[in-house]
Amino acid sequence: LYLMNGERFSGKATTLTKIAVGFQRSAHIISLEMNDTLFYRKLQDLNTSPTTSLTLDFDSYEITSIEKSIRTVAKGGTKLFIIDSLMKIRHDELKTGSRMEQLNDIASRLYRLKNTLDISIILIVQSKKDSEGILSTKGAGDVDYEADIILQMETTDDLQRSIRCTKNRASNIMRTAELSITSNSESKKESEWQ
């Protein structure tokens, strides 16, 4: 399970949409933040169009229906799933539980699902800066513990984005990728640290 953290409007969904469109295999996006009209407008703004290998779901909001959607699409061979975003997922089975309990259970269920189906799930999570300027997952409790990899997207100015790996369960090598986004081009710079 991957978490893509970042503050509001930092470009998390845009970056992951670009990855999904360019993915060599099929990818499936479950968009809880945008309806189909807004999503297709985003694709136009990115000067791209959905490929036949990209499938979209704008209707699954409850964790059980999301699991069903992922299972159905995975049967066709899809290996990459992107969910935008954790905070919008409903948990009707735990209506009496706190929102934090619901979010923890949602993350646990997605973690088990990705292991069962041998797929990759990237879950977009909004974060906020605390009083010391440190980014933390916004109201998501222990969701970080379920993640194999946590990617933190930070905005340095209007054109600069930095993606930093803050957790990698499989390795102690972390990577930071800095993205410079302009209206016509995108350049990347990568550094490694331990």
Side-chain angles (χ1 to χ4, degrees):
L1 184 65
Y2 296 79
L3 295 184
M4 172 65 97
N5 286 345
E7 291 186 281
R8 293 179 65 209
F9 308 113
S10 62
K12 302 175 295 293
T14 299
T15 300
L16 291 176
T17 298
K18 288 179 98 170
I19 289 170
V21 167
F23 195 57
Q24 296 299 312
R25 299 184 195 178
S26 56
H28 185 71
I29 297 176
I30 299 172
S31 179
L32 310 177
E33 293 284 343
M34 286 183 271
N35 61 30
D36 56 347
T37 303
L38 292 173
F39 190 85
Y40 287 113
R41 190 174 303 141
K42 177 185 282 281
L43 288 175
Q44 286 177 337
D45 291 345
L46 294 172
N47 293 321
T48 189
S49 60
T51 62
T52 55
S53 61
L54 178 65
T55 55
L56 305 168
D57 180 349
F58 301 101
D59 300 319
S60 299
Y61 281 87
E62 204 278 326
I63 184 60
T64 304
S65 66
I66 289 171
E67 288 172 318
K68 184 178 179 181
S69 174
I70 290 172
R71 285 182 189 282
T72 300
V73 174
K75 284 181 185 176
T78 298
K79 292 291 188 183
L80 176 63
F81 294 83
I82 298 170
I83 303 171
D84 184 14
S85 74
L86 172 65
M87 305 313 286
K88 296 283 186 171
I89 299 174
R90 289 192 338 260
H91 197 318
D92 294 345
E93 295 169 9
L94 279 179
K95 284 185 178 180
T96 58
S98 71
R99 184 61 180 154
M100 200 162 297
E101 289 172 320
Q102 291 176 356
L103 294 174
N104 291 338
D105 189 62
I106 289 166
S108 292
R109 289 170 70 164
L110 292 172
Y111 181 81
R112 288 191 305 271
L113 186 63
K114 73 100 184 164
N115 286 334
T116 302
L117 299 177
D118 191 28
I119 58 173
S120 295
I121 298 175
I122 304 174
L123 184 58
I124 295 177
V125 181
Q126 193 169 316
S127 56
K128 65 178 181 176
K129 287 187 180 177
D130 64 14
S131 59
E132 297 173 10
I134 297 171
L135 285 170
S136 63
T137 305
K138 187 176 180 179
D142 296 329
V143 171
D144 292 0
Y145 294 114
E146 295 293 346
D148 296 306
I149 294 176
I150 299 175
L151 302 172
Q152 185 74 51
M153 180 171 270
E154 297 177 357
T155 305
T156 54
D157 61 40
D158 286 344
L159 300 177
Q160 292 288 113
R161 304 290 188 266
S162 174
I163 300 175
R164 188 167 48 99
C165 180
T166 60
K167 177 182 179 182
N168 186 345
R169 192 173 281 167
S171 173
N172 65 350
I173 296 178
M174 307 294 190
R175 295 198 179 276
T176 300
E178 293 177 8
L179 304 175
S180 178
I181 301 170
T182 63
S183 59
N184 297 325
S185 67
E186 180 177 306
S187 62
K188 298 177 187 177
K189 183 170 66 174
E190 191 177 288
S191 61
E192 186 174 312
W193 56 276
Q194 295 185 11

